[in-house]
Amino acid sequence: MVSGGQGGFLAGYAYLFLTQAVSRLLPFIVNAMVARRLTPEEFGVPTVHFQLLSTVILTSREGFRRALMRDTKATEDSSQEAASWLVVPLAALLSAAVPTVVFFANGLTKTDPYAQAVALYGVAAFLELLAEPFYIRAQRRSKFKLRLVTETIATLARSFVTFVFVTRPQTGVTVPLAFAFGQLAYGTCVWLMFAAAQWEFVGEGIDLICGRSSISRGTLTLLGTFSLQAVWKLLLSEGEKGVLMWAGSADAQGIYALVSALGALFVRVVLQPFEEAAFLMFAGENADKDEKKKTATEDERRKFNALMKIAVVLGLLSALHGPQYCHLALKLLYGERWANAPGAAATLGGFAVMILFLAVNGITEAYAHAVMSPKELASANMVLLITSVFNVAVSVLLQEYIGTLGLVVANCFAMSIRIAYTLCYVRFVRFAGTSEAFLPALVPRKRLLLLMCATCAVTIVTSKIHNAIHVLSGAFTLLITLTALLKFERSSLMTIHRSAKKEE
């Protein structure tokens, strides 16, 4: 990785975890308070329609992030960082084109509050993308603290603005516009703070645009490969929302939006920083190699195995215990109306199981995408395209029969294909020279797995008794599992700890 910041897997994970905790938990709390005041239909429009709109525009930055985080060689290699400025013209195009398509497709007028909200979301997305070159430069230099401070302030601004407008009807601002103003406040803060901290970087963008600097062909190839990958991931991760908008009712959209926000909280706060830190670690170790080695070193294998075991434990915690707490969580956070909404608890239970697939897929793809050659990445993109189309097709089919739960089940099927592909790549390409049994090395010890199954049985029983006892048993289960993890997987935790100290 680029030097000049706080390095190491654990340090990076700590800052990324804090960033996600602030940027996800605060909006989650605000959304919970807002959802209690709104009907499923009112809540579904800003959280499904507008979130999908923003995601489509912001997907343009994902390829730049992956390519330029992976291709980090040295701080002095300014052409790598300057390449991030290419996202700006793309941002201007998409921020104008996507809202315009929505306007004409829905026959909207300028006076329609929904149309005004769409336009504001487009402006907010452009401001976020305008900050992207500064964000990538900060990440390359491991300035995690800058990201933490920026996203904290931006999230506070968004949450405050949204909550004030939604809870004060006398302002005359509709619910869609309230969310749009909140998003605009977020985008403005992100751009101002990242730009103010690294304003000298503007000069490199001007040099690139004026032709006074250039970008290597290899970097452009990576940008194209990862950008294409981001499009397929968009179809895979957001395809179910398109299916829901097309085939689902307004109430179903609101229920799915609320449940997915709650179900994805653990993913965003815990798993996403874990995946990002793993990608940065493996990419940093391979950054100095002009040609990626086909086989992994012994140290690389140990790190991958250790991270996989931790991911499996985290995923199993959610899959085994999450479904028992779904109805109670909805009741406590959102009230009886949402807890008893048709399919809400079942869909949230499905999300809890899906977290196991997300945890495993996050580490396998983080490793594979960090070490694959451009040709191998192109093959991975083709698999991603196939799974994306498969996901949308199965979502359409299952949504008809089991409602919003069908979208989650389709995601699990698609995720399984991705996991199988990356595991085959790791086993037969990267780990081809090892004599160690592959799959057993990725799974926690049997005693830990048996203990987790036993605690699952306990929480199933307590769910039938009393809420207070059920909550206490959940806390006790978590404590026992973490203690057992420290005891039975100490070697895996020490491998991660040693790698962190070595990088620092």
Side-chain angles (χ1 to χ4, degrees):
M1 279 188 62
V2 177
S3 59
Q6 310 98 314
F9 176 85
L10 293 180
Y13 178 74
Y15 276 108
L16 291 170
F17 175 81
L18 287 172
T19 301
Q20 289 296 330
V22 171
S23 63
R24 302 296 176 179
L25 282 174
L26 187 57
F28 172 76
I29 294 169
V30 171
N31 281 343
M33 292 188 292
V34 168
R36 284 177 171 268
R37 300 168 180 265
L38 303 177
T39 65
E41 182 177 358
E42 289 174 323
F43 189 74
V45 171
T47 49
V48 174
H49 295 210
F50 296 152
Q51 186 182 44
L52 184 59
L53 173 73
S54 290
T55 304
V56 169
I57 299 172
L58 294 175
T59 294
S60 59
R61 70 187 179 186
E62 297 304 320
F64 286 82
R65 289 186 175 184
R66 275 287 168 126
L68 299 179
M69 288 296 99
R70 181 183 193 264
D71 202 11
T72 54
K73 295 181 180 179
T75 308
E76 294 77 17
D77 189 2
S78 59
S79 67
Q80 298 291 317
E81 293 179 346
S84 61
W85 284 100
L86 293 176
V87 78
V88 175
L90 187 59
L93 175 64
L94 288 174
S95 299
V98 174
T100 300
V101 169
V102 174
F103 285 153
F104 285 106
N106 293 279
L108 302 176
T109 62
K110 290 187 291 185
T111 56
D112 189 335
Y114 183 90
Q116 294 168 1
V118 167
L120 288 174
Y121 265 89
V123 174
F126 176 71
L127 288 172
E128 281 193 65
L129 290 172
L130 201 57
E132 195 60 24
F134 303 103
Y135 170 91
I136 290 174
R137 186 173 188 257
Q139 287 290 96
R140 281 174 58 89
R141 294 166 183 251
S142 299
K143 294 182 178 180
F144 300 119
K145 191 178 294 184
L146 173 61
R147 178 179 169 185
L148 172 61
V149 172
T150 298
E151 293 204 13
T152 299
I153 294 175
T155 301
L156 283 169
R158 176 174 59 191
S159 300
F160 176 77
V161 171
T162 303
F163 185 74
V164 167
F165 280 129
V166 169
T167 57
R168 293 176 180 258
Q170 61 268 32
T171 60
V173 176
T174 62
V175 172
L177 276 174
F179 278 86
F181 281 126
Q183 193 64 27
L184 184 61
Y186 178 85
T188 302
C189 289
V190 167
W191 177 70
L192 286 175
M193 295 193 66
F194 271 122
Q198 305 175 94
W199 189 250
E200 70 280 0
F201 187 45
V202 174
E204 294 187 25
I206 295 173
D207 288 342
L208 179 66
I209 293 171
C210 295
R212 293 195 291 266
S213 64
S214 60
I215 301 167
S216 69
R217 182 183 295 271
T219 299
L220 290 174
T221 300
L222 275 179
L223 286 172
T225 301
F226 277 112
S227 294
L228 185 61
Q229 184 183 94
V231 174
W232 303 148
K233 279 191 173 184
L234 171 69
L235 184 60
L236 183 61
S237 62
E238 303 296 331
E240 70 268 13
K241 289 180 183 170
V243 171
L244 196 60
M245 289 174 62
W246 172 58
S249 65
D251 280 357
Q253 292 177 33
I255 291 169
Y256 183 79
L258 181 136
V259 167
S260 63
L262 178 57
L265 188 62
F266 181 79
V267 177
R268 303 301 186 190
V269 173
V270 178
L271 297 185
Q272 186 173 321
F274 193 60
E275 177 186 342
E276 284 186 37
F279 177 82
L280 291 172
M281 179 179 71
F282 288 123
E285 290 177 354
N286 286 268
D288 295 327
K289 302 181 180 78
D290 293 328
E291 301 247 348
K292 305 280 184 191
K293 286 180 64 178
K294 276 293 179 185
T295 55
T297 63
E298 183 63 31
D299 183 55
E300 193 175 295
R301 284 196 293 270
R302 280 198 301 268
K303 290 176 184 176
F304 176 76
N305 292 345
L307 290 171
M308 278 293 292
K309 288 178 181 179
I310 305 303
V312 170
V313 171
L314 292 174
L316 281 174
L317 258 177
S318 174
L320 292 175
H321 301 286
Q324 286 85 268
Y325 290 89
C326 291
H327 186 272
L328 180 60
L330 288 170
K331 182 179 177 180
L332 292 176
L333 291 169
Y334 302 108
E336 289 281 357
R337 179 178 62 179
W338 287 96
N340 296 324
T347 304
L348 184 56
F351 262 97
V353 174
M354 189 174 73
I355 284 174
L356 173 60
F357 294 86
L358 289 169
V360 173
N361 183 70
I363 296 301
T364 56
E365 286 197 347
Y367 174 67
H369 294 167
V371 301
M372 280 178 167
S373 67
K375 185 177 180 180
E376 290 166 339
L377 283 169
S379 299
N381 283 350
M382 186 56 63
V383 173
L384 199 57
L385 171 61
I386 293 170
T387 55
S388 300
V389 174
F390 173 82
N391 181 43
V392 172
V394 176
S395 293
V396 172
L397 179 66
L398 293 182
Q399 199 271 339
E400 182 71 25
Y401 292 99
I402 54 177
T404 52
L405 178 60
L407 307 181
V408 179
V409 174
N411 253 315
C412 291
F413 283 141
M415 207 77 65
S416 299
I417 298 172
R418 292 165 64 182
I419 292 170
Y421 177 80
T422 48
L423 284 179
C424 285
Y425 168 79
V426 174
R427 173 63 185 92
F428 297 109
V429 179
R430 297 297 296 182
F431 290 10
T434 181
S435 58
E436 181 184 30
F438 179 62
L439 290 178
L442 308 180
V443 181
R445 295 178 185 272
K446 289 181 182 178
R447 282 175 289 180
L448 178 56
L449 294 176
L450 288 173
L451 178 66
M452 294 183 74
C453 290
T455 56
C456 173
V458 171
T459 54
I460 290 174
V461 172
T462 58
S463 67
K464 313 294 183 184
I465 302 174
H466 191 274
N467 286 345
I469 296 174
H470 191 39
V471 171
L472 285 174
S473 71
F476 186 60
T477 291
L478 180 61
L479 180 62
I480 288 178
T481 303
L482 293 178
T483 303
L485 177 63
L486 290 172
K487 177 179 173 61
F488 297 127
E489 292 298 338
R490 181 178 294 274
S491 60
S492 298
L493 295 171
M494 289 304 296
T495 297
I496 297 172
H497 179 65
R498 283 194 297 271
S499 72
K501 296 193 78 170
K502 191 184 300 181
E503 289 171 27
E504 289 169 356

